[in-house]
Amino acid sequence: MDWNSLIYFPVLKTKDAELRAISAVDTSYRRRMLPVYEITKSRITKKNSLGDIVKRLEQIKNIQGDLPYILDVTTDAKQKNAQIESILSPINGYESWKDWLDLNCSSHIVPMIHINFELDEDLSEAKSFVSSVTNKYQKMALRLPADLEDEEYEDIINTVTAELKGSRLYVLLDEGCVRDKVKSEGLAVVVDSYQKAFDKISSMPNSGKWLERIVCVAGSFPYLVSQEGKGDEHGKFEIYEHSLFVSLKHNRPGLQFGDFASINVKQIEMRGGTFVPRIDFGTDTTFYYYRKRRNAGSYIWCAKKVVADSIYSTNHSWGDVEIKSASEDTPSGISPSFWISVRACNYMIRRVKLLSA
C-alpha cells in the first residue's frame, strides 16, 4: 500500500446519503482517498430495533474492499446507540472498542484513538488501548481540535506515541464547521489556529518516527442554504475549507486536506413535507444552487437550470448523470437525501482532481 498516494480525507457519517455518495465515486478517485468513517446506528426497523452498527460496518466493507480507511464512531447523540456508547467507554483500555475491532475489522484499517478527559483524566486508558493494538495496525489516527494549548498537544501526543511500536500516526485537526467563525472573525483567525497547531505537532521531538501526516479537517456547508446564498431560487456561497487549506499548505508538505464532503455538520433531519427541492453544484471555490418549491417545479426544474448554467461543468460522474437524467424529466430520486448524495459525489471527485493537480 502506497500511503503517500492518499491526498484527500473526507469525514463521513455512515448514513445513507454519505454511503451512497462515496460508493458512486469511481475507484480511480477513491484510491487517492483515505475516508474517515464515523459509524452511526443503522436504520431502525422491527427486526433491527437497536440500529445494529455491524450493518453499517458491512456497508463500509462492501464500499472499500481492499482500500484502507480510518474507522471512528460518532459522538452525535442523535446517531448513537448502546453499542456506540460502549465503544466510547474508556474502561479497561477501551476494551469494548478493541474487542469490536478484533471481531469485525482487518489489519488494513486505521483505527481511531479515542480521548476522554472526563472519564480518563490521565489518559492511562487511552495509553493502554494503543499499547494493546499497535502491533496489529500499520497506522492509527488521533482526532484533536485545532485550538488546544501547546501543553495539551504535548500531553496527549506524548502519551499516545510512547506506546507506538512501529505504527505511525495520522493527526486530524478538526474544527468542525468554520463558516460562522470565518464570517465573524475572518479567515486569518481560523488559519492562525490551524497553523499554530500544525507547527507545534510537526516540531515535536522524534515526530519523524511516529508522525504519518497532519490533516486539516474543516467544513463550511451552511445550515440554511437559501439564507447563506441570499436567494430563494438561486444563489451561491464560498467554500471556506478550500480557502483555509490554500492558506495553510504553503511550505507545509506534511499537511493534508480533509473535510465533510459538502455535508453540513449538523445534518438537518428532514420531516415529510418540510423540504424545498434543491440541486447544488460547485467549482473549486464556490457552491451554486437552484431550488424550487414543489408546487412550482421541483427537481426537474432545478436540474434544467443547472445544466443550462454556464458555470456548471460535468465530470461525467454518477452525480452528473443523475443531474442530466433529471433535466430530461426522468429523475431517479426525489428526496433530499438522494440529492445530497449527488452533490457529495461530485464534490469529492472535484477535491481529488484539485489536490492531484
Side-chain angles (χ1 to χ4, degrees):
M1 174 67 210
D2 180 10
W3 295 90
N4 290 326
S5 69
L6 303 172
I7 58 174
Y8 177 44
F9 296 70
V11 179
L12 304 165
K13 286 185 170 63
T14 56
K15 297 177 71 175
D16 292 343
E18 286 98 318
L19 294 179
R20 181 168 49 228
I22 193 167
S23 67
V25 174
D26 188 84
T27 304
S28 63
Y29 295 108
R30 288 199 288 115
R31 291 192 183 281
R32 307 300 308 278
M33 297 162 56
L34 187 66
V36 182
Y37 287 105
E38 291 183 4
I39 292 184
T40 60
K41 63 185 178 183
S42 60
R43 189 183 297 276
I44 293 176
T45 65
K46 288 183 178 179
K47 295 182 179 180
N48 181 28
S49 59
L50 178 64
D52 191 354
I53 62 175
V54 173
K55 293 182 180 296
R56 290 305 195 191
L57 181 60
E58 290 304 316
Q59 290 176 282
I60 294 171
K61 289 179 178 179
N62 288 336
I63 292 168
Q64 291 296 122
D66 62 354
L67 297 176
Y69 54 94
I70 296 175
L71 191 65
D72 197 1
V73 293
T74 187
T75 56
D76 183 342
K78 293 181 179 179
Q79 299 301 324
K80 287 194 292 187
N81 62 9
Q83 292 169 306
I84 293 174
E85 291 287 1
S86 175
I87 283 172
L88 290 170
S89 169
I91 293 174
N92 295 328
Y94 289 87
E95 183 177 34
S96 179
W97 182 221
K98 181 172 72 71
D99 290 348
W100 200 79
L101 290 168
D102 287 341
L103 183 63
N104 296 293
C105 303
S106 62
S107 59
H108 77 286
I109 73 151
V110 180
M112 188 66 72
I113 300 166
H114 299 301
I115 299 294
N116 187 330
F117 276 117
E118 186 176 346
L119 300 178
D120 184 24
E121 189 173 353
D122 64 357
L123 299 182
S124 60
E125 303 294 357
K127 184 175 182 178
S128 176
F129 168 78
V130 174
S131 177
S132 67
V133 303
T134 185
N135 289 326
K136 181 176 181 180
Y137 301 104
Q138 293 182 57
K139 317 290 181 185
M140 300 178 73
L142 182 64
R143 194 169 172 181
L144 299 171
D147 60 353
L148 297 181
E149 298 295 330
D150 285 357
E151 295 78 11
E152 293 176 294
Y153 286 123
E154 290 175 1
D155 289 345
I156 296 169
I157 293 175
N158 284 335
T159 298
V160 166
T161 57
E163 301 303 318
L164 292 177
K165 299 177 179 67
S167 296
R168 290 175 65 84
L169 191 66
Y170 284 103
V171 179
L172 280 60
L173 297 173
D174 180 4
E175 281 296 294
C177 183
V178 298
R179 177 163 291 276
D180 288 345
K181 190 167 186 177
V182 170
K183 289 174 65 178
S184 63
E185 300 180 34
L187 180 65
V189 173
V190 180
V191 170
D192 186 61
S193 180
Y194 279 91
Q195 180 176 302
K196 287 179 178 177
F198 176 90
D199 292 345
K200 173 60 184 177
I201 294 167
S202 60
S203 64
M204 288 181 66
N206 300 314
S207 62
K209 293 183 178 180
W210 52 261
L211 181 60
E212 182 67 16
R213 287 287 189 274
I214 298 175
V215 184
C216 164
V217 178
S220 70
F221 202 87
Y223 190 65
L224 296 172
V225 166
S226 60
Q227 180 175 308
E228 191 67 29
K230 296 180 171 56
D232 188 66
E233 289 193 351
H234 178 52
K236 64 179 182 178
F237 47 87
E238 185 177 345
I239 301 172
Y240 287 134
E241 56 267 47
H242 171 78
S243 305
L244 171 64
F245 183 71
V246 169
S247 297
L248 282 169
K249 71 176 182 178
H250 185 62
N251 291 331
R252 294 183 176 85
L255 182 68
Q256 298 284 15
F257 180 75
D259 58 27
F260 297 92
S262 80
I263 310 291
N264 183 273
V265 176
K266 292 183 181 179
Q267 300 210 353
I268 301 172
E269 295 291 338
M270 290 293 181
R271 306 286 181 188
T274 64
F275 69 91
V276 177
R278 190 187 78 242
I279 297 179
D280 313 300
F281 66 98
T283 63
D284 294 345
T285 63
T286 307
F287 261 117
Y288 299 82
Y289 65 86
Y290 286 96
R291 70 199 289 268
K292 193 77 167 179
R293 300 183 187 281
R294 279 172 291 171
N295 61 0
S298 73
Y299 289 110
I300 292 173
W301 181 93
C302 296
K304 289 180 184 296
K305 288 291 187 180
V306 169
V307 298
D309 195 312
S310 61
I311 297 171
Y312 172 70
S313 62
T314 179
N315 287 306
H316 305 287
S317 66
W318 167 81
D320 288 315
V321 169
E322 293 300 338
I323 291 173
K324 184 175 186 295
S325 179
S327 74
E328 294 171 346
D329 301 333
T330 55
S332 300
I334 55 172
S335 70
S337 173
F338 182 85
W339 290 98
I340 288 172
S341 299
V342 168
R343 179 184 76 225
C345 171
N346 286 347
Y347 176 87
M348 286 187 278
I349 289 172
R350 183 174 288 276
R351 288 300 112 184
V352 173
K353 292 174 72 172
L354 181 63
L355 293 166
S356 299

